[in-house]
Amino acid sequence: MHAKRLFSAALVAASLGLLTACGSYVQTTSGSRYLAGYSASPPAGEIRLPQAGQAGVVDPEIAEIAAVEPQLRFPTRLGLARIENGELTPVPPIEAEAWRGLAQRLGSGYGEFVPVSPLIAALAAPESPTSDSRADPWSGYRKSLAQVVKAVRYGAARQHLDAVLIYEPFGRSNEEGNILSVTKIALIGFFLPTEDVKADGFAQAVLVDVRNGYTYASASATSAEPTRRLSTSGNSYKVQADARAEAQAQAVAALTGEVETMVRDLRLALAARRLDLGTQ
């Protein structure tokens, strides 16, 4: 199976279980505080007891990952990156309109939204050799996930953005035969609306610092109501695709509301953190 399809299928499968409701989460915790009192773990085979005042040891790789601090300040240049089928894609007009509405609601005090260009991201990303993932198909999924996030950060850095909101819409659809489905046995039934199509949309987003990779917040949303269409035997694929696209657009519109709450909460949390550090 192709790596991109693995990426998309695994992400959808995981997300359908998570996106049971809309919501958002904000993080402003400190890496230095998280690691305070811990020392780097000793080399393999060496036993080292914690020193006085130390809570224990931490793996160097984990320490390096955790040693990051929130540094975002508003107003800011906030990138908008859309992921679909494991790739950075342009923002469709209907979704762009929803994001413009969010920017207007937030106002200039929060900064500006700037779409991350797939072309600029491709030009900014360094060349990397392709690998054969046939021996381990899931390695392709893991690499695709890491590569697309890196590509987004490369493009955002080239565009001099401070943070980037990476979002992904996706959907699922199914069809069931209606009362006309019996006509499928007749030639004319090929042209009759014999199937009821239903599609649900989902969307999720994460806000990442371009410079140091700090993850500030995440949000998720679903379409309020399923999108319903009628299809014939001849146009089933297109009708389902159109229904999913409409459901996804509805989910993105709902996502902008969650992102608005997320960004407002984050600004307050970052301001409170700076005040706390200033009084220490």
Side-chain angles (χ1 to χ4, degrees):
M1 184 180 293
H2 195 281
K4 290 176 184 176
R5 293 183 179 178
L6 272 175
F7 174 88
S8 179
L11 190 55
V12 169
S15 301
L16 291 182
L18 293 175
L19 295 180
T20 55
C22 300
S24 62
Y25 168 79
V26 167
Q27 174 181 338
T28 58
T29 51
S30 165
S32 60
R33 288 186 179 181
Y34 177 73
L35 297 170
Y38 289 81
S39 63
S41 60
E46 180 181 335
I47 299 177
R48 186 184 303 165
L49 297 177
Q51 301 295 318
Q54 290 182 344
V57 297
V58 58
D59 290 342
E61 184 179 4
I62 297 299
E64 182 180 358
I65 293 171
V68 63
E69 303 292 328
Q71 57 186 11
L72 187 64
R73 290 177 175 268
F74 291 95
T76 186
R77 280 173 57 80
L78 186 63
L80 185 64
R82 183 184 190 271
I83 305 300
E84 185 173 26
N85 295 328
E87 291 187 343
L88 176 62
T89 64
V91 179
I94 189 170
E95 293 179 13
E97 187 63 31
W99 291 114
R100 278 193 291 268
L102 169 60
Q104 292 174 356
R105 296 194 300 272
L106 289 173
S108 59
Y110 284 84
E112 59 179 325
F113 281 94
V114 180
V116 177
S117 166
L119 177 59
I120 293 177
L123 291 172
E127 292 285 342
S128 60
T130 58
S131 61
D132 186 357
S133 61
R134 286 175 295 181
D136 179 10
W138 285 105
S139 68
Y141 156 68
R142 290 189 291 268
K143 289 177 182 176
S144 293
L145 179 59
Q147 286 170 355
V148 71
V149 173
K150 280 186 178 180
V152 168
R153 289 183 65 191
Y154 287 145
R158 182 61 58 87
Q159 293 179 248
H160 299 163
L161 304 175
D162 300 309
V164 58
L165 184 73
I166 305 173
Y167 83 97
E168 182 180 33
F170 47 96
R172 62 180 177 184
S173 63
N174 60 68
E175 62 179 8
E176 297 179 354
N178 56 35
I179 194 171
L180 295 177
S181 61
V182 67
T183 63
K184 282 184 176 181
I185 62 175
L187 180 62
I188 196 172
F190 186 81
F191 303 100
L192 294 178
T194 58
E195 305 292 331
D196 294 321
V197 173
K198 183 178 74 170
D200 297 290
F202 308 85
Q204 58 185 358
V206 59
L207 181 62
V208 180
D209 195 292
V210 174
R211 296 181 180 90
N212 67 359
Y214 189 95
T215 303
Y216 292 103
S218 61
S220 62
T222 64
S223 54
E225 296 289 341
T227 298
R228 299 182 182 277
R229 300 280 182 89
L230 290 175
S231 70
T232 67
S233 298
N235 69 356
S236 174
Y237 180 84
K238 183 180 184 304
V239 169
Q240 288 199 60
D242 290 344
R244 285 195 302 270
E246 181 179 333
Q248 289 176 190
Q250 293 178 7
V252 171
L255 181 66
T256 62
E258 297 300 327
V259 170
E260 179 178 1
T261 299
M262 179 189 81
V263 171
R264 293 185 186 278
D265 290 345
L266 177 62
R267 186 178 186 180
L268 293 175
L270 290 172
R273 182 179 186 276
R274 289 193 295 270
L275 182 62
D276 180 53
L277 293 176
T279 58
Q280 290 181 352

